[in-house]
Amino acid sequence: MPVATPAQYRAMIDAAQKGGYAYPAINVTSLPTINGALKAFAESKSDGIIQVSTGGGEFASGTSVKDMALGAIVLAEAVHILAARYDILVALHTDHCHPKNVEKFLKPLLAATKARREAGKGNLFNSHMFDGSELPLEENMRVSKELLQQCAELDIILEIEAGVVGGEEDGHDTSGVANDKLYTTPEDMLTVYETLNGIGRFMFAATFGNVHGAYKPGAVKLKPTILRDGQAAVTAKYGAAAEMDLVFHGGSGTPLEEIRETLGYGVIKMNIDTDTQYAFTRPIVGHMMKNYDGVLKIDGEVGDKKAYDPRSYLKKGEQGLCDRMKEACDDLLSTGKTIFGTV
């Protein structure tokens, strides 16, 4: 059962927190991206997290349907089936769900898990993210608290965010947000802990200058010590057991030393999307350029069916994504640390 049970997922997070490593969490949109991720985790002997965004779910449902929840269900069910052939654990998660999408994305997925449980099956997803960072903190926490209560009833972990990740992702553009909004304060972290502690397990995407998208090294000014200071504020007041499970968003172009630094401050999950999109697309572009006269019917010729068969280049995309995910496992120190078969 390589898709983790709720207990196994909690054990995964505990192991990462105790062991000083984090899980790559990759956004998938298709069977090739799912298979590339599973292959990478298996070859790295690393557990990992496979996640679906609202846009990814909408895409997976087809251009005629455009139902983000339906597409997410399709992708999750595919992971459940495919992951059974591997000897590592993966958890299923959904990425940024903004307030406007709660009713048409997050709640239908909670209902899908409830239906599976009533049918004697396991949870569809292990965790979900509610991103209320566009709301005032008080309103963000009110909604987060309500959703965490609903998740806890289904043994699901909720990821929340306070502070803003800059840039653009899935059509949500925060590139114009003031710089001070990109940094979560210790007071924010205390508020999050005090609001949600005791309701159910949660992960916190604290922001420390993170920006979605692709940037050259040095363009994004991260301040990982914000995580350190926030954790210190929480543990000073509530003890070492109050250390939160943190999530790193918007890390493209981050120097390795800064990635590793965050692991010491409680980061147990790092989202990987922009880099794997490029890693998937780059070998496909290479295929098209190398086989230009095969993938196109030029000057009345018939082309080369082997070159334009989608399988010929999607396999290359899958492998490119796999290679980048293996690099992520190494960067986050999860390589060789699967807990499969131990819990």
Side-chain angles (χ1 to χ4, degrees):
M1 192 180 292
V3 171
T5 64
Q8 287 172 327
Y9 191 30
R10 292 192 296 270
M12 281 173 57
I13 295 173
D14 290 342
Q17 193 66 267
K18 182 178 180 181
Y21 61 93
Y23 298 108
I26 177 174
N27 284 29
V28 299
T29 56
S30 62
L31 291 180
T33 52
I34 290 170
N35 285 323
L38 289 171
K39 183 179 182 183
F41 290 135
E43 291 183 358
S44 296
K45 297 190 184 305
S46 168
D47 299 326
I49 298 171
I50 291 177
Q51 55 191 31
V52 184
S53 67
T54 54
E58 182 178 290
F59 172 79
S61 74
T63 55
S64 294
V65 177
K66 294 184 178 181
D67 183 330
M68 57 181 63
L70 176 64
I73 291 169
V74 170
L75 292 172
E77 292 286 6
V79 173
H80 277 273
I81 295 169
L82 292 167
R85 297 297 183 96
Y86 294 87
D87 58 357
I88 42 85
L89 290 174
V90 292
L92 279 160
H93 177 76
T94 55
D95 202 9
H96 298 269
C97 179
H98 299 285
K100 66 180 181 180
N101 292 323
V102 168
E103 294 297 327
K104 61 182 178 180
F105 185 67
L106 188 49
K107 288 191 176 180
L109 296 180
L110 291 176
T113 279
K114 183 177 180 181
R116 281 176 62 97
R117 290 168 70 95
E118 289 173 350
K121 300 178 181 179
N123 285 10
L124 182 63
F125 283 93
N126 300 89
S127 54
H128 295 292
M129 181 184 184
F130 168 65
D131 181 355
S133 59
E134 66 188 57
L135 303 173
L137 184 59
E138 183 178 355
E139 177 67 5
N140 182 356
M141 289 299 96
R142 183 189 67 77
V143 180
S144 294
K145 184 176 180 179
E146 292 176 359
L147 290 172
L148 181 56
Q149 289 169 333
Q150 295 174 45
C151 286
E153 292 173 0
L154 297 170
D155 218 354
I156 289 173
I157 294 172
L158 182 69
E159 178 184 335
I160 63 99
E161 181 176 312
V164 178
V165 176
E168 186 277 332
E169 184 177 60
D170 262 358
H172 187 77
D173 192 346
T174 56
S175 56
V177 170
N179 283 343
D180 63 335
K181 298 295 184 182
L182 302 179
Y183 302 98
T184 303
T185 66
E187 292 75 21
D188 292 340
M189 292 184 73
L190 271 169
T191 296
V192 169
Y193 180 80
E194 292 172 346
T195 302
L196 302 181
N197 182 49
I199 299 172
R201 188 150 188 174
F202 65 93
M203 298 182 285
F204 180 34
T207 58
F208 51 104
N210 327 51
V211 181
H212 287 133
Y215 300 88
K216 291 182 178 180
V220 177
K221 305 299 183 184
L222 294 179
K223 297 180 181 178
T225 52
I226 284 177
L227 304 181
R228 177 199 66 194
D229 296 344
Q231 291 277 38
V234 173
T235 56
K237 189 172 182 180
Y238 294 101
E243 182 178 20
M244 288 190 282
D245 301 317
L246 301 181
V247 180
F248 187 164
H249 288 249
S252 295
T254 303
L256 180 58
E257 61 269 21
E258 289 189 350
I259 291 175
R260 296 273 175 86
E261 182 181 356
T262 69
L263 305 183
Y265 303 148
V267 166
I268 50 81
K269 172 179 179 279
M270 181 176 178
N271 285 17
I272 313 288
D273 187 26
T274 301
D275 290 349
T276 47
Q277 287 178 348
Y278 181 79
F280 185 86
T281 300
R282 180 63 183 83
I284 294 175
V285 173
H287 174 92
M288 297 301 175
M289 295 178 73
K290 181 179 179 180
N291 299 285
Y292 178 78
D293 56 351
V295 297
L296 296 176
K297 297 181 179 182
I298 300 173
D299 296 333
E301 296 297 325
V302 297
D304 181 354
K305 186 178 184 299
K306 290 183 179 179
Y308 61 73
D309 181 338
R311 292 171 294 182
S312 66
Y313 52 84
L314 290 177
K315 287 178 183 178
K316 296 175 182 178
E318 177 184 318
Q319 186 59 50
L321 180 149
C322 172
D323 293 340
R324 181 60 182 84
M325 283 300 294
K326 290 169 70 173
E327 180 184 334
C329 291
D330 290 341
D331 290 349
L332 296 173
L333 303 177
S334 67
T335 299
K337 295 190 174 99
T338 179
I339 63 169
F340 176 74
T342 66
V343 291

